[in-house]
Amino acid sequence: MLPISKTIETDLVVIGGGIGGLMAAISAAEQGTRVVVLEKADTRRSGSGGGGCDHFFCYLPEVHGNDLDVIFQELMESQIGSCYDPLLTYQFMKMSSSIVRKWQEWGINMKPYNNEFVFRGHAFPGRPRIWLKYDGHNQKAVLTKKARSLGVTILNHHDVLELLHDGTRALGALALDNSRSEPSFVLVQSRCVMMASGTASRLYTPMSTPSTMFNTANSPANAGAGHAQALRAGARLVNFELPYRHSGHKYWTRAGKGTWIVIFKYPDGSNVGPFITKATKEVSDITSDVWNNVFTDMAREGRAPIYMDCSQIDEEDFQCMMKDFESEGLTSFLNYMGKRGLDLRKQAVEFGQFEPYFLGRGVEIGVDGQTTLPGLYAAGDVVGNVRGAIAGAAVYGWICGENIGKRYQDLEIKPVADLDLTRERMEFFSSLYERKSGAPWQEGNWGLQQILTDYAGAGPERVRSETLLSAGLKNLRELRELCKAEMKVSNSHELMRAAEVFDLLDVGEAIMLCARERRETRGLHIRKDYPFTNPLYNKKIFYIERRNGEYVVGMRDKYK
Amino acid sequence: MPPVIDKEKCIGCGLCVEICPCEVFDIDHAPKTVPVVLYPRECWHCNACVLDCPRKAVDLRFPLHYMITTTDAAALNHKAGD
C-alpha cells in the first residue's frame, strides 16, 4: 500500500483553492478558525478563475437604487436564473455589494473604468444590468496572499481523492500528495469540510476538437471531484439532468462571449438577431444569450457559419474590448491574434456551441452554505441550486466561511485513519499504482465521454429516451468495472487523473439516473419519449442522493 | 504541443512547474534546470506560465487544429450593402 506521508488536524479543511475555497478560508480565518486548503495545482493560478474574469454579477444600491427586487428579478428571468432556488439567490444579492468592496480593498480592481462602478456585458437593451465590469486578472494571486496573511495553510499539489465521513457527518479528506511524482497519501481530520472543487469538465466528447480532451470552456482540471465525493458521502445534488452548453470561437473552446462587442452575422452579411443594429460597449448583441442554440440550429439548417463581427464598432469600444479580454483571462487568445495575424477589425470570427459541462448543476446547499450532510459546506461551481461562476463563488464562499467560523467549535475532531472508508479507498488507489500493467486513464475518460455523448446527449442535436438512458447506464457501469480492473497509473500525476475519471464516472451515472426520471422535455434535455414540457415542473427541482447504498432520485419545490 | 521554453532565457526557477493548473510539467523539477513538458496534451492554454515567468522564457504553441476560423469582414458587410 502507498504510504501516508502526513496526518493533519485542523478546524476546517477546504477542498479546492479556487475563488469559493479561498473566500471561505479567508472568512473563516478572520474569525480565528484554523484552516487548511487542499489544492490539486496552485492557488495562484488554479480553477476556472485562474486567468481572470471581467464580469461580476451583483447588486450595488448606489448604482441600482434601493429596490433589490428589480435586480433579483432580472437575474431570475435572464438566461442564468431559471434552475436556482430564489431564496439563495436573494441572499446572494444581499451580500454581493459587501464582497465587491472587500475585493476592491484587497487589490482586485472592481472599478477599471474611470474609478467608477460600470455595469455592462451580457446586457439586454432597455433592461437593468447585473454584470459589473471588473479587472480580475490578478484575482487568484490577491486572494492567495490575503489567505496566507491570515495564517491559512495552503497545501498546493494536494489532490483530494475522497471526502471522509462516517455516514452522519463530514470528518475530513483523503488527499494525494502530488507535489512529487512518487505518490503518497495525506490524511486531514477536521471539524468542518468546505467543498469548493469547481465544475465538472471532461464529461462529454469535446464538440470543437474530439481528439483533444483538455480543450474546454472552464478548467479541464476541474473534473467533478466534489460532485462525486459529496454524492458518495450522502449529500443531495440537484439539476444533474439539465444540460448546460457554452459557446465561443469554434475550434478553440473558451468562455468569454460576454466580453465581445459584436453583431452576429450570417454568411450573407445580414444580422442573425433582431436586438441591435450597432454594437457598442454599452449594448452588444445578446442573440446567443437569448437563443442559446443559435450556432447549432443554424448549422443544422445549412445557414452556418455564424460570424462575430467587430469590424464596425468604434475605436474606443474596440480598445475597451481588447482591455477586457485581458481582464477576462483571455491573454492566450490575444497572443494568438498577434502570432497568426488575426485582426478583429478586419476579420469576423466563426462561433460554435460547445459540449455540456456543469454550471448550476451540483451540490445542494442551504441559505447558510451547508449541504444536507452535516459539517459539509459548499460554494462555487460545485453547487447546483445557486449560481456559481466568479461572483457566486466569492459571495457564497464568504457566507460559508462566516457560518463555519461561528459554528466549528460545536463539532469534534474525530480520527479518520481507522475509518473503513479511508482504508478501502487507500487500498483501491494503491492497487492502481501497484499493478504491473494496464490501461491508461485516458481510455476510461474517452469511454465515459463516448457513452454520455451517445446515450445522454444534450440538445438540440441529440436526444434522450428511456431506452437510450437505460442502455447507457448499463454501458457506463460495465466501463467502470473495466476501469477498476485494468486501469494502471505510474506516478502521482496519473493517479490524480485516474481518480478524476472515477469521479466523472459517478457524475455520469447520476446524470443518466436523473435524466431518466425527468419524463418531459425542457431546454436541452430532449426526451423523445416525452416530447412535451410539463408546467407542473416549472417550480420544481430534481435531486439525487444516496440512501443505504442506493441512489434515490426525487423532486422538490424551489426554496423561496 | 505547448508550452515551449527558451533554454537560453530560462533560469530554472521552477515557477511554471508550480503554478501550472494542469500539471503539464514534470513535477520532479530539479532546481536550476529547464523544466520538462511531460503532458503537453493536458495544456489548457491558460497562459499562466507565459504571464508569470520572470524571464519571459515561456511561449505557448497553438495546436494546428485550434484554428480561429474567420471570414473577411469588409466582404461580409459589402454583401449586406453596408
Side-chain angles (χ1 to χ4, degrees), chain A residues 184-205:
Chain A
S184 62
F185 295 120
V186 172
L187 291 176
V188 183
Q189 46 206 34
S190 58
R191 297 176 201 267
C192 292
V193 180
M194 171 77 200
M195 185 59 82
S197 56
T199 185
S201 295
R202 288 162 41 207
L203 283 163
Y204 286 80
T205 304

Side-chain angles (χ1 to χ4, degrees), chain A residues 55-245:
Chain A
H55 52 310
F56 190 106
F57 70 94
C58 56
Y59 163 67
L60 294 182
E62 64 265 49
V63 177
H64 292 122
N66 288 328
D67 190 359
L68 187 153
D69 279 341
V70 174
I71 302 304
F72 172 71
Q73 287 304 330
E74 182 63 19
L75 176 69
M76 294 307 288
E77 289 170 9
S78 71
Q79 75 280 7
I80 62 169
S82 60
C83 59
Y84 303 129
D85 280 313
L87 179 70
L88 278 80
T89 304
Y90 201 82
Q91 171 71 2
F92 160 83
M93 281 291 177
K94 279 201 297 190
M95 285 290 295
S96 59
S97 66
S98 68
I99 301 302
V100 169
R101 283 174 236 291
K102 283 183 205 305
W103 278 27
Q104 177 74 21
E105 188 191 318
W106 297 345
I108 301 168
N109 190 357
M110 308 305 280
K111 299 174 173 178
Y113 287 99
N114 303 323
N115 202 30
E116 288 172 3
F117 290 124
V118 171
F119 281 74
R120 59 170 202 248
H122 294 294
F124 288 67
R127 280 170 51 176
R129 297 184 187 172
I130 58 176
W131 297 99
L132 173 68
K133 218 24 144 178
Y134 82 108
D135 176 8
H137 80 279
N138 63 344
Q139 58 193 7
K140 292 300 308 291
V142 168
L143 297 181
T144 298
K145 194 173 161 198
K146 180 73 183 171
R148 288 210 166 112
S149 75
L150 292 164
V152 171
T153 302
I154 296 175
L155 296 178
N156 288 320
H157 297 284
H158 279 63
D159 178 44
V160 173
L161 301 170
E162 196 69 83
L163 162 67
L164 298 177
H165 62 93
D166 63 2
T168 63
R169 57 166 275 221
L171 294 174
L174 166 66
L176 166 72
D177 178 352
N178 51 300
S179 66
R180 297 179 310 125
S181 64
E182 184 71 30
S184 62
F185 295 120
V186 172
L187 291 176
V188 183
Q189 46 206 34
S190 58
R191 297 176 201 267
C192 292
V193 180
M194 171 77 200
M195 185 59 82
S197 56
T199 185
S201 295
R202 288 162 41 207
L203 283 163
Y204 286 80
T205 304
M207 289 297 293
S208 50
T209 56
S211 60
T212 313
M213 203 164 18
F214 281 62
N215 192 12
T216 57
N218 281 18
S219 177
N222 293 358
H227 302 79
Q229 293 173 23
L231 184 65
R232 291 196 290 266
R236 175 183 280 189
L237 292 95
V238 297
N239 291 327
F240 264 42
E241 74 287 359
L242 296 174
Y244 174 80
R245 297 177 66 180

Side-chain angles (χ1 to χ4, degrees), chain A residues 508-519:
Chain A
E509 183 177 20
I511 288 172
M512 287 198 273
L513 287 166
C514 295
R516 206 165 57 170
E517 287 303 308
R518 189 182 272 276
R519 296 185 179 88

Side-chain angles (χ1 to χ4, degrees), chain A residues 204 239-245 292 356-358 361 456-459 464 522-526:
Chain A
Y204 286 80
N239 291 327
F240 264 42
E241 74 287 359
L242 296 174
Y244 174 80
R245 297 177 66 180
N292 192 238
Y357 74 103
F358 271 8
R361 285 89 182 124
R464 297 170 169 181
R522 185 171 295 257
L524 306 184
H525 168 76
I526 299 172

Side-chain angles (χ1 to χ4, degrees), chain A residues 40-42 44-45 157 178-181 209 211-212 214-221 249-252 254 265-269 307 309 311-312 331-333 335-336 339-340 342 346-350 441 491 493 496-497, chain B residues 1 15 17-29 38-39 41-52 59-82:
Chain A
K40 68 161 62 168
D42 187 303
R44 289 170 292 180
R45 283 294 187 187
H157 297 284
N178 51 300
S179 66
R180 297 179 310 125
S181 64
T209 56
S211 60
T212 313
F214 281 62
N215 192 12
T216 57
N218 281 18
S219 177
H249 26 70
K250 188 171 168 65
Y251 289 127
W252 185 359
R254 195 51 44 113
K265 293 198 170 151
Y266 286 116
D268 67 2
Y307 292 106
D309 180 17
S311 69
Q312 296 177 321
T331 54
S332 56
F333 175 55
N335 290 355
Y336 179 102
K339 271 189 190 171
R340 298 255 166 99
L342 170 62
K346 294 179 180 160
Q347 286 149 294
V349 171
E350 184 184 1
W441 65 266
N491 56 38
H493 179 83
M496 172 175 74
R497 293 278 178 255
Chain B
M1 283 211 286
L15 182 61
V17 181
E18 288 175 30
I19 53 122
C20 176
C22 295
E23 228 180 66
V24 306
F25 300 94
D26 183 355
I27 200 77
D28 287 341
H29 170 252
L38 208 52
Y39 305 105
R41 292 181 66 84
E42 295 172 32
C43 177
W44 187 36
H45 302 81
C46 72
N47 225 30
C49 52
V50 176
L51 293 169
D52 293 352
D59 193 16
L60 285 189
R61 190 180 78 68
F62 298 104
L64 298 177
H65 60 309
Y66 283 34
M67 297 170 72
I68 305 283
T69 46
T70 63
T71 193
D72 183 78
L76 186 72
N77 290 309
H78 179 70
K79 286 184 213 169
D82 286 344

Side-chain angles (χ1 to χ4, degrees), chain A residues 322-543:
Chain A
M322 297 300 274
K323 180 180 162 187
D324 293 344
F325 279 143
E326 201 165 333
S327 304
E328 173 78 344
L330 299 175
T331 54
S332 56
F333 175 55
L334 292 171
N335 290 355
Y336 179 102
M337 287 191 218
K339 271 189 190 171
R340 298 255 166 99
L342 170 62
D343 183 348
L344 298 181
R345 279 170 290 216
K346 294 179 180 160
Q347 286 149 294
V349 171
E350 184 184 1
F351 260 42
Q353 192 175 20
F354 305 138
E355 72 283 1
Y357 74 103
F358 271 8
L359 186 60
R361 285 89 182 124
V363 182
E364 176 178 316
I365 56 172
V367 77
D368 60 352
Q370 193 165 204
T371 71
T372 59
L373 181 71
L376 178 67
Y377 292 72
D381 287 352
V382 74
V383 169
N385 58 328
V386 67
R387 189 176 166 91
I390 302 297
V395 173
Y396 258 95
W398 188 264
I399 291 171
C400 287
E402 272 197 332
N403 288 318
I404 291 166
K406 285 179 201 153
R407 299 172 184 169
Y408 74 92
Q409 283 166 332
D410 301 342
L411 294 163
E412 285 172 36
I413 294 175
K414 291 189 178 174
V416 295
D418 296 332
L419 291 172
D420 288 346
L421 173 66
T422 309
R423 214 169 20 248
E424 183 273 319
R425 297 310 281 167
M426 288 197 301
E427 281 170 9
F428 171 67
F429 289 116
S430 298
S431 74
L432 303 181
Y433 182 71
E434 285 157 0
R435 63 175 55 126
K436 295 224 168 6
S437 63
W441 65 266
Q442 287 93 338
E443 292 180 9
N445 207 151
W446 287 323
L448 170 69
Q449 291 187 333
Q450 70 201 25
I451 289 170
L452 280 179
T453 302
D454 285 343
Y455 299 92
E461 73 274 45
R462 289 183 184 271
V463 300
R464 297 170 169 181
S465 70
E466 172 73 34
T467 51
L468 276 170
L469 290 162
S470 295
L473 276 165
K474 173 178 176 290
N475 297 343
L476 183 144
R477 287 166 180 156
E478 286 176 11
L479 174 66
R480 183 195 283 125
E481 292 311 308
L482 283 171
C483 289
K484 280 184 185 171
E486 297 187 22
M487 202 180 278
K488 156 75 186 165
V489 302
S490 305
N491 56 38
S492 65
H493 179 83
E494 290 178 11
L495 182 49
M496 172 175 74
R497 293 278 178 255
E500 289 168 356
V501 172
F502 285 102
D503 284 336
L504 287 169
L505 282 161
D506 285 0
V507 172
E509 183 177 20
I511 288 172
M512 287 198 273
L513 287 166
C514 295
R516 206 165 57 170
E517 287 303 308
R518 189 182 272 276
R519 296 185 179 88
E520 64 154 0
T521 290
R522 185 171 295 257
L524 306 184
H525 168 76
I526 299 172
R527 282 286 300 254
K528 275 295 177 189
D529 43 355
Y530 298 94
F532 51 85
T533 297
N534 185 343
L536 299 177
Y537 293 169
N538 287 354
K539 292 179 180 169
K540 304 280 187 188
I541 283 181
F542 279 62
Y543 64 81

